[in-house]
Amino acid sequence: MQEKYLKTLMKLAKRASAKNEVPVSAIIVKNDKIISKAFNKREQSHNVLAHAEVIAIKKASKKLKTWRLFDCDLYVTLKPCSICENIIKQSRIRNVYYLIDKPDIKKEYKKTKFNKMNICTYEQMYGLILKNFFQKKRDKN
């Protein structure tokens, strides 16, 4: 994934988390240009279908005035769920790239290891965003 896309996904995931949404973000790219971006809004909209991928697809379709997104690529922070996978197939998106698969947050990101320069990868950074989000949820209960 290109760094500019990763930076955009991280910003959107952080915004989602700040709004008490599961921090999943998605962008759609056509001809190396971001044409839509979104993050989860299920809590905010009280809508079970308000997944980041679905919102991004709706925005891209509206912008391009077609539901067929043949020449578009979807970038998402977390591997799409089965609902989103089917919507992605129906929209004819060319490629889907995701940062991480469904992780076991407690095990995989308990101790994030940084490289020699003390910089974590985007995968690790996103894993920490997820871990912190769900830790806050558990702490409230």
Side-chain angles (χ1 to χ4, degrees), residues 43-76:
E43 299 298 326
Q44 181 181 341
S45 67
H46 309 290
N47 182 345
V48 71
L49 298 175
H51 292 218
E53 300 93 326
V54 175
I55 296 167
I57 288 168
K58 286 174 70 174
K59 287 180 175 181
S61 295
K62 185 174 183 177
K63 183 171 187 158
L64 298 176
K65 295 179 175 52
T66 181
W67 60 268
R68 294 175 186 91
L69 303 176
F70 292 117
D71 298 329
C72 298
D73 297 320
L74 172 69
Y75 293 82
V76 63

Side-chain angles (χ1 to χ4, degrees), residues 15 21 28 38 44 49-50 52 54 59 67 70 75-76 82 84-85 89 91-92 109 113 120 126 129 131 139:
R15 282 181 54 200
E21 297 284 354
I28 295 183
Q44 181 181 341
L49 298 175
V54 175
K59 287 180 175 181
W67 60 268
F70 292 117
Y75 293 82
V76 63
S82 59
C84 292
E85 281 180 357
K89 286 177 189 173
S91 67
R92 314 293 199 269
Y109 296 100
K113 293 182 177 132
C120 63
Y126 179 62
I129 292 170
K131 178 186 173 210
D139 291 347

Side-chain angles (χ1 to χ4, degrees), residues 103-141:
D104 182 342
I105 302 293
K106 290 181 186 176
K107 289 181 184 174
E108 290 184 39
Y109 296 100
K110 194 169 190 174
K111 285 191 174 182
T112 298
K113 293 182 177 132
F114 296 92
N115 68 17
K116 290 178 184 177
M117 295 176 64
N118 229 12
I119 299 171
C120 63
T121 66
Y122 282 101
E123 292 88 349
Q124 291 168 323
M125 190 183 320
Y126 179 62
L128 290 172
I129 292 170
L130 278 174
K131 178 186 173 210
N132 292 337
F133 175 80
F134 287 112
Q135 185 62 53
K136 285 179 190 174
K137 287 281 192 192
R138 283 191 295 278
D139 291 347
K140 285 184 180 179
N141 294 331

